[in-house]
Structures are given as C-alpha cells and as structure tokens.
Amino acid sequence: MNELSKDELRLLIEKGKAPCLSIFMPTHKAGAEVQQNAIRLKNLLKEAEDRLVTGGSRAAEVEKLLEPVQALVKNNPFWRQQSNGLAIFLCPDFFRTYRLPGDFQPSVVLAERFNVKPLLPLFNTEGRFYVLVLSQKDVRLLECSRFSVRETRPEGIPSGIDEVLKYDVFEKQISTHSATANTPGSRGAMFHGHGSSTDLSKEYLMRFLQQIDRGLKAYLKDERSPLVFAGVDYIFSMYREANSYPNLLETAINGNPDQMSADDLHALVWPVVEPWFRKEQEEAAVRYRQSIGTGLASNHLEEIVAAAHHGRVGYLFVEVGREKWGTFNPQTDQVILHAGAKTGDEDLIDFAAIQTLGAGGKVYAIGRDAMPDREPVAALFRY
C-alpha cells in the first residue's frame, strides 16, 4: 500500500503505459462487512477483464496483466487495513494501490493513461505540516501531509526535561529536592505548573522549552509550514513565550499526549490546519476575479488547454464531475470540442488538470457553487 502524495500523483501521470487500468471503490474498515471488499474488487476485475478481451487483448495477456490485482482478492491482511476508499492503478510494469479517505463510487477505467481525476479533490488542501508533541517526559515531532504522518526526533531537541536538567549546574540541588519528595510535608521538585511550581522549577521548564525551540529552528530552517502544539495547556502557554518559529498556530491540541499515537494526533490536528491550506485556494480565487480581462485569467477551455500544455497555468479550478470531450493538437495548439465523447477524444478538463500538475501548478477540484465564476473551468496564468 502506497501513500498518496503529489510526487505519487506525478508518478501516475508520467508512468502510464497503455493499457492503463484505474479502479476506484469504496471499502469497509471493520466488521463483517470487510468481506464485501474482496467480492467488490473481484466483480470490478471481471469487468476489466471483459473490456480488455473485447478490446482485442488475448486471454493469456489479460491474465498476466491482472495478476497483481487478482492476488489482492485473497489477501486477507490487505483488507484489514483499509480506509473509506481504495484506488488501484495498473499497467504493464507498474502497479500502485492507495488507501484513501474519500468514499468513491465503484468504477473501472481502461485508457491510454491513468484516470487521476477522482483523486484531485483530495489535493485541494494538501500540504506539509508539523506537530510538536510535548510533555515533560517526552518530545516528538510529527511530519505530516493530508494523507500521511511520520514520527521523528530531530537532533538537538531534548527527549525530555530530565535530559536538560542533568546537565544543569543545579543538578545537586535538584537531586536533593527529589530525594525529599517522599518525606511527609515535602513537595519535592515539581514541574506540573498547576499553581504548585516554584519560580525555580518554572525557570527549568523554560530552559527546556527554549532548547526545544533552538532545536526546531535548526531543523525547520526556512520552512513555512504550519506547526501545531500538542500538550497540556500550561506548557503551551509557556512554549509560546519560548517559540521563535513564525508559523506556530494559536490553536493547540490540549491534553496529555504521552498515550496518543501518531495516527490519533494526525486525525485531531488535520481540522486545525485545514483552514491554513484552504486560505491559499481562497486567495487564488480572489486573484482570478481581479485578473479577468487582463489576459492573466480565463474560463475558456480552449485557451486553458493550450496554456496548460505550455506550463502557463499556475492555478486551475475545475468543477467536480464535469467532462468536456474533444481533441488537442500540440503542434498547432488547436482545440476542438465535441458535444459527447467520440473516438480519439479525451476529457480536456482532465487533460488541463494533468498538464497543470505536471508543470508544478495547483489544481482545485471543487463543486460548482465554489467555482470562481460558476463556469466548469477557470485558470489563473503565470504570465
């Protein structure tokens, strides 16, 4: 199972070698219904097999091509690790599966290239973000995208407050305080911050937090991605004083994070960072409206297809579910649109989206009501 990312999407765009098979299906994550996943895939594979044979492929060739997907049908552990949707891409010498949050309609597409259009809405707010998981006992940094999370412990960031205190010149004093912790009437060396901390213990905690900030600053360097804090509220309050990273978000995940897995934290943090990424989409829509009539924006598909082919589209808005069939001649930049799909046609909205992504532009696949001017396609040009 692969993790979907922009690099993976670009790989799907570049690696397609006919015949390209794209399968999308909803999946059950738990319970007796999990058994339906394999049955559904088996039925979709039968549909793909029939289409390949009807298209002129020999039975032996079809069997060999579909073999990697057929193996999934009987792979019980595979079906126990699902999300809401599954996407499968297969062509000669290339095979990818993606566990995805989207709830897809079952579909089988055989074409000259992979059908990536159903994936595009998942990238509307895709981006990198970080989660600083911090308690006095443990420090973790999560590197995340919309679809993935990876735990890391960068060099220079202490693993806990004890690592900082053991090098402190007051180590002997701390040991003495700790030794009296079990003596009746003694409060020991406390760092809980609930009104019982001494000024000295707050000083130690601040040193701990400042060292974390220095380590993060060295690790993140010129990063501009959002950083979310996960930990108890009083430590977050102090960490904001120590922090020098410009994109620390004001909203934190409050509570003791020591028993929370990376996946659990990722699920909690995503709603916090999503508005950050959606803001860029909203700003692009505003710029589009301001640029209409200047030659830097268009909602005419013929113009957009040619511009996308030449790498001119910086931001592209496409209406989810809309198709516009026709042909494009890259030698003459001529676009011919048809009322319906004819032999040799392709969905030119899909073509424009793939060309935009391939040139490093951004594509937002959204509903009609969210389109900048209610047209099925809109582009903001780089030049």
Side-chain angles (χ1 to χ4, degrees):
M1 190 77 70
N2 302 94
E3 291 184 356
L4 185 62
S5 65
K6 281 190 174 178
D7 288 339
E8 283 290 309
L9 183 63
R10 196 167 288 113
L11 191 65
L12 293 174
I13 293 170
E14 296 171 353
K15 285 289 186 179
K17 177 183 176 184
C20 293
L21 173 63
S22 308
I23 296 177
F24 293 89
M25 57 177 276
T27 49
H28 299 286
K29 294 186 284 186
E33 293 177 324
V34 168
Q35 298 177 1
Q36 297 177 21
N37 294 334
I39 296 172
R40 179 172 284 152
L41 179 58
K42 186 176 181 180
N43 293 336
L44 293 172
L45 275 176
K46 183 63 170 66
E47 182 180 341
E49 182 179 353
D50 292 343
R51 290 191 192 179
L52 285 163
V53 171
T54 302
S57 298
R58 292 183 299 176
E61 293 174 339
V62 173
E63 183 179 356
K64 182 178 180 180
L65 175 66
L66 298 182
E67 188 175 318
V69 189
Q70 292 283 12
L72 295 181
V73 175
K74 299 179 181 179
N75 187 342
N76 291 329
F78 175 80
W79 298 114
R80 289 196 293 267
Q81 301 175 29
Q82 295 302 313
S83 183
N84 294 327
L86 175 66
I88 299 173
F89 298 93
L90 175 72
C91 72
D93 303 319
F94 185 84
F95 177 48
R96 282 289 195 277
T97 63
Y98 301 98
R99 181 179 60 233
L100 301 171
D103 187 6
F104 301 105
Q105 292 297 315
S107 69
V108 174
V109 176
L110 273 168
E112 295 294 311
R113 54 183 173 78
F114 290 126
N115 176 34
V116 301
K117 189 188 250 181
L119 301 177
L120 297 183
L122 300 176
F123 287 87
N124 288 350
T125 53
E126 191 267 350
R128 185 196 303 274
F129 59 96
Y130 295 90
V131 185
L132 177 61
V133 188
L134 199 161
S135 71
Q136 293 179 37
K137 294 180 180 179
D138 192 24
V139 181
R140 294 178 282 162
L141 183 68
L142 307 183
E143 297 183 2
C144 309
S145 73
R146 174 66 181 92
F147 313 106
S148 65
V149 56
R150 182 176 74 91
E151 185 172 315
T152 182
R153 296 177 185 270
E155 186 177 346
I157 295 180
S159 59
I161 195 169
D162 288 345
E163 184 178 323
V164 176
L165 295 184
K166 70 182 179 181
Y167 296 113
D168 196 278
V169 294
F170 296 109
E171 181 180 2
K172 184 176 180 180
Q173 182 179 354
I174 294 298
S175 300
T176 303
H177 283 219
S178 299
T180 61
N182 295 323
T183 302
S186 172
R187 290 161 62 186
M190 299 182 67
F191 303 92
H192 305 298
H194 295 294
S196 61
S197 296
T198 64
D199 291 338
L200 191 59
S201 64
K202 287 182 179 179
E203 179 185 343
Y204 294 145
L205 180 54
M206 182 56 74
R207 286 187 202 175
F208 171 53
L209 299 178
Q210 288 170 341
Q211 185 165 331
I212 292 171
D213 177 67
R214 286 194 295 271
L216 268 182
K217 186 176 182 179
Y219 184 74
L220 297 178
K221 295 181 181 177
D222 297 325
E223 272 278 1
R224 298 182 180 274
S225 303
L227 172 68
V228 178
F229 181 96
V232 296
D233 187 59
Y234 80 92
I235 293 184
F236 180 46
S237 179
M238 293 187 67
Y239 184 75
R240 281 188 294 187
E241 295 180 34
N243 173 65
S244 62
Y245 184 69
N247 292 327
L248 174 68
L249 300 191
E250 286 296 315
T251 303
I253 303 302
N254 190 25
N256 185 349
D258 288 341
Q259 303 303 316
M260 300 186 69
S261 70
D263 288 336
D264 291 339
L265 287 162
H266 181 268
L268 289 172
V269 171
W270 174 246
V272 175
V273 298
E274 184 179 15
W276 170 282
F277 297 111
R278 197 169 297 281
K279 181 180 178 183
E280 182 179 17
Q281 176 182 329
E282 294 167 352
E283 290 174 347
V286 170
R287 287 174 53 201
Y288 166 83
R289 296 186 187 99
Q290 293 172 340
S291 300
I292 286 292
T294 68
L296 291 177
S298 175
N299 56 24
H300 298 292
L301 182 58
E302 296 93 327
E303 183 180 4
I304 291 171
V305 166
H309 173 69
H310 292 291
R312 288 182 53 217
V313 178
Y315 294 91
L316 180 68
F317 298 85
V318 298
E319 182 181 338
V320 172
R322 285 296 294 270
E323 297 174 343
K324 290 287 186 178
W325 295 92
T327 60
F328 170 65
N329 186 330
Q331 278 72 45
T332 63
D333 283 349
Q334 183 182 27
V335 175
I336 300 176
L337 296 174
H338 298 142
K342 296 184 178 181
T343 302
D345 278 3
E346 64 180 318
D347 178 5
L348 293 177
I349 294 180
D350 192 31
F351 174 85
I354 287 174
Q355 294 294 315
T356 298
L357 289 168
K362 296 217 171 183
V363 177
Y364 299 117
I366 52 183
R368 184 184 182 192
D369 290 343
M371 291 293 291
D373 53 12
R374 301 297 181 91
E375 293 295 324
V377 63
L380 185 63
F381 300 138
R382 289 179 167 131
Y383 55 90

